[in-house]
Amino acid sequence: MSHEQEAKKSEKSMLRYVLELVEIVVVAFALSWLIRTFVIEARVIPTGSMLPTIQLEDRVIVDKLFFKYFGKIQPGDVIVFHPPASAHSSDDFIKRLIAMSGDKVEIKNHTTYVNDQPLNEPYIKEPPKEDFGPVIVPEGSLFVMGDNRNNSADSREWGFLPAENVTGRTLFRYWPLNHFGPLD
């Protein structure tokens, strides 16, 4: 084989290698995008509205698929959602689901009540300072609050959350490692 033929063979081999590498990168990017968009996503917590349950800058894994088809969200779940327009934000929020459609919500004497029953809330930073309600959660809506009750923009401020705005349910915290595990 001549030197010229070897050079062409080597050039073809290098081109094939580069094309395979590009294909791998494109497929990996597409799979990553699909998984992150529709299945599971890592999130960084940008505010202190969920203190003490979730600390500022904690990282959590959010289920975006399985909760929709294999299990429903329920009061007590920590959910991620697109806020309603009245919240004046385009960033997703993370809050605790307090009440579902048809439930009565009221805060009085520093205690949250759902359907006239006091909630056991060992996860809150401190009891709410201000009374609220009573309100009935409309059909197709949810009522959410941050665990940092006195420092959280939530349903008490911007109203009910349309149920279709929910994009996921938190599964667990993965960072920092010393707090790794499910959210209480």
Side-chain angles (χ1 to χ4, degrees):
M1 190 181 298
S2 74
H3 181 65
E4 193 173 292
Q5 289 174 327
E6 283 182 28
K8 283 185 180 182
K9 185 176 178 182
S10 177
E11 199 174 287
K12 283 183 182 180
S13 178
M14 181 59 102
L15 180 61
R16 187 174 305 130
Y17 172 76
V18 168
L19 289 175
E20 287 177 6
L21 190 60
V22 167
E23 181 181 2
I24 289 169
V25 169
V26 168
V27 169
F29 177 77
L31 284 174
S32 172
W33 179 82
L34 285 171
I35 289 170
R36 186 170 186 248
T37 302
F38 298 109
V39 181
I40 199 166
E41 179 179 21
R43 290 263 178 173
V44 177
I45 306 306
T47 72
S49 73
M50 284 300 291
L51 289 170
T53 305
I54 306 172
Q55 303 296 312
L56 186 64
E57 298 298 318
D58 277 3
R59 283 144 174 87
V60 297
I61 296 294
V62 177
D63 160 26
K64 297 176 92 175
L65 175 69
F66 297 103
F67 85 96
K68 290 180 184 178
Y69 302 106
F70 302 110
K72 299 196 184 271
I73 57 173
Q74 55 191 333
D77 286 347
V78 178
I79 60 174
V80 175
F81 55 91
H82 302 304
S86 55
H88 306 291
S89 178
S90 58
D91 295 332
D92 284 355
F93 285 7
I94 184 167
K95 304 284 182 197
R96 189 173 300 272
L97 177 56
I98 300 299
M100 309 287 281
S101 296
D103 288 340
K104 175 183 171 185
V105 179
E106 182 175 17
I107 299 173
K108 60 183 176 183
N109 301 322
H110 312 290
T111 302
T112 302
Y113 294 84
V114 175
N115 299 324
D116 299 318
Q117 298 298 311
L119 288 184
N120 177 24
E121 300 183 295
Y123 44 77
I124 65 174
K125 184 172 182 181
E126 60 187 5
K129 292 178 182 174
E130 296 181 16
D131 288 350
F132 174 83
V135 296
I136 304 294
V137 182
E139 186 66 34
S141 296
L142 305 169
F143 192 91
V144 298
M145 290 195 291
D147 289 355
N148 189 354
R149 293 288 194 262
N150 299 309
N151 192 19
S152 174
D154 51 39
S155 288
R156 295 170 294 170
E157 181 179 316
W158 39 255
F160 302 107
L161 172 68
E164 72 260 9
N165 288 26
V166 176
T167 59
R169 176 181 56 203
T170 59
L171 295 175
F172 61 90
R173 175 185 8 245
Y174 70 92
W175 190 263
L177 290 176
N178 61 334
H179 288 115
F180 182 91
L183 299 175
D184 297 327

